[in-house]
Amino acid sequence: IEARRGAFVHSDSAFTLLLPVGKGPARRLANPDLNVMSGSLESNNWQIDLQISTDMMQFGLAGLGMRTDAKVEFDKYDQYVPPRLSEFIEVHFETTSEEGIVCKDLVAPKDHHIWNFQINSNMETQENLLEWPEIPLGNKRLFLLDVVTQKVIDMSAVQSYRFAPAGESHPFRIYFGNEQFIADNLTPDQVRVG
């Protein structure tokens, strides 16, 4: 948390919150590894942070991944979408949880998975930027589908995607799996001619 800033915390039960505090004026409580992928796609425990930016604002709480002890319902690895300000940009993952809208969705390990999410905003921008850390190549892959434009992005080949927002809600999908799963499931919803 930056100096003179606050944070929202949601808890359904009591817990102990530990804040690392260092000495010196330059010490921050930010994650120094924000741009580093946690774990490998080949392992059962991995996480990728997503950041969405406009020319005026950033939202850096989003992410996805797998953990051996993740639950279907909301758990300690998921993150609720914080309350909106007058101007906002945010990420909403579609989940089976009835406990609220999440911007970070970690699931139990699977051979393959599809995350559906929307980037929502009330700002009038010409272009948004979705960024993620470097993802090493392996047998398991991640592909981003822009549902509006039907553009497919290999998330191991690039670390960002620029897009023109399609109104207040812009849908996306991220496909995780081996080449066969990707080939069988990553098909356009529509065909554009011309």
Side-chain angles (χ1 to χ4, degrees):
I1 302 172
E2 294 179 23
R4 295 181 280 295
R5 296 287 182 142
F8 294 100
V9 177
H10 173 84
S11 176
D12 290 325
S13 61
F15 68 96
T16 302
L17 178 63
L18 299 174
L19 299 174
V21 178
K23 294 183 180 179
R27 187 73 175 174
R28 294 180 43 184
L29 297 177
N31 179 0
D33 298 322
L34 185 62
N35 294 320
V36 177
M37 180 180 164
S38 169
S40 160
L41 294 181
E42 309 300 323
S43 73
N44 287 331
N45 294 303
W46 59 270
Q47 176 179 324
I48 294 182
D49 292 327
L50 303 172
Q51 180 169 291
I52 181 72
S53 304
T54 69
D55 54 348
M56 299 170 45
M57 190 177 290
Q58 291 182 339
F59 184 85
L61 299 176
L64 58 97
M66 296 188 173
R67 293 290 298 217
T68 53
D69 53 345
K71 299 175 183 170
V72 173
E73 64 273 2
F74 185 87
D75 61 25
K76 64 183 178 182
Y77 302 114
D78 300 324
Q79 172 71 47
Y80 284 114
V81 175
R84 289 180 174 170
L85 302 173
S86 59
E87 290 187 327
F88 66 90
I89 187 164
E90 60 196 15
V91 175
H92 288 187
F93 279 93
E94 292 178 13
T95 66
T96 57
S97 174
E98 297 178 9
E99 297 189 35
I101 300 170
V102 298
C103 59
K104 184 174 284 188
D105 185 29
L106 274 67
V107 298
K110 303 175 183 180
D111 289 334
H112 49 79
H113 190 73
I114 300 171
W115 283 271
N116 291 288
F117 67 98
Q118 293 83 37
I119 294 177
N120 300 324
S121 177
N122 68 345
M123 295 185 295
E124 293 185 23
T125 61
Q126 299 298 313
E127 185 176 76
N128 289 342
L129 178 65
L130 179 62
E131 298 175 278
W132 54 89
E134 182 177 348
I135 301 171
L137 284 175
N139 293 327
K140 300 289 177 110
R141 307 288 295 276
L142 283 171
F143 283 84
L144 174 71
L145 171 67
D146 182 330
V147 176
V148 173
T149 65
Q150 297 295 294
K151 185 169 183 177
V152 175
I153 295 90
D154 179 349
M155 295 177 71
S156 294
V158 296
Q159 290 178 266
S160 64
Y161 173 61
R162 291 186 184 279
F163 64 97
E168 288 192 17
S169 184
H170 194 115
F172 290 91
R173 287 189 202 116
I174 293 181
Y175 293 77
F176 164 77
N178 61 25
E179 286 186 33
Q180 187 63 50
F181 174 78
I182 301 297
D184 291 346
N185 291 279
L186 184 52
T187 56
D189 295 332
Q190 54 190 317
V191 177
R192 294 181 183 257
V193 179

